[in-house]
Amino acid sequence: DTGVSQDPRHKITKRGQNVTFRCDPISEHNRLYWYRQTLGQGPEFLTYFQNEAQLEKSRLLSDRFSAERPKGSFSTLEIQRTEQGDSAMYLCASSFAYSGANVLTFGAGSRLTVL
Amino acid sequence: QQQVKQSPQSLIVQKGGIPIINCAYENTAFDYFPWYQQFPGKGPALLIAIRPDVSEKKEGRFTISFNKSAKQFSLHIMDSQPGDSATYFCAASGSAGGKLIFGQGTELSVKP
């Protein structure tokens, strides 16, 4: 297992364009998380899935953001009509959910630059 | 109430020193407190974690101290090395699992 994979690693786009990021979690993990991280800040929670179900979505998340995990394996995060304020590192993490510790394994992230 | 506050924002120590990073939380429903380490260009990686039923946990050179009554916890790095230079994040989550709430991060630099 190669860990959590994210693609693309870098994306430069013009304001108003749509972008999509993909995350492939660790295969035996049933939970998948998306976080956003800006320079000098901690990861900010966006949303998470358990299997196919989206269990929580941040109130801070604009309706321009949508995430899917159609078959309970990989996930996509789409940002529509990008704005310069969307420029950030988008981190994906996965975990195996059980009652107890919640150990998240992160990918290396997808860096978005909106011009 | 969902916030985790972390300090200091940055820290410089000499090799062999013991940097200490502090975090505070408000939500008493939190019961899992991990620390993550992040190097430039990489995602955060779990370093060590603690639950509130113990006051201290050690793993190698890393120690978490936990004060439940004060709702504070801290990371100590013994005999720090230049390779420890990274950004450190504290985090917290509730017993149902789900999301981790992260602190703002501490950029640590260990000088040779």
Side-chain angles (χ1 to χ4, degrees), chain A residues 9 22 25 42 61 63 67 70 94:
Chain A
R9 292 293 312 279
R22 176 182 169 120
L61 203 60
D63 58 6
S94 67

Side-chain angles (χ1 to χ4, degrees), chain A residues 31 35 56 100-102 104, chain B residues 36 38 43 51 89 98-100:
Chain A
R31 281 191 175 171
Y35 282 81
E56 188 173 349
N102 192 23
L104 271 62
Chain B
Y36 279 75
Q38 186 176 29
R51 293 200 170 275
F89 296 96
K99 63 178 183 275
L100 284 178

Side-chain angles (χ1 to χ4, degrees), chain A residues 76-95:
Chain A
T76 58
L77 175 69
E78 181 182 19
I79 309 173
Q80 296 182 328
R81 304 181 303 281
T82 53
E83 302 172 357
Q84 288 185 327
D86 297 331
S87 295
M89 177 74 84
Y90 289 85
L91 293 166
C92 177
S94 67
S95 72

Side-chain angles (χ1 to χ4, degrees), chain A residues 9 31 33 35 37 40-43 45 48 56 100-104 106-108, chain B residues 32 36 38 41-44 46 51 89 93 95-100 102-104:
Chain A
R9 292 293 312 279
R31 281 191 175 171
Y33 304 78
Y35 282 81
Q37 186 177 26
Q41 298 297 314
F45 171 77
Y48 88 97
E56 188 173 349
N102 192 23
V103 179
L104 271 62
F106 281 87
Chain B
Y32 173 67
Y36 279 75
Q38 186 176 29
K42 304 288 186 182
L46 179 65
R51 293 200 170 275
F89 296 96
S93 71
S95 58
K99 63 178 183 275
L100 284 178
F102 283 85
Q104 299 90 333

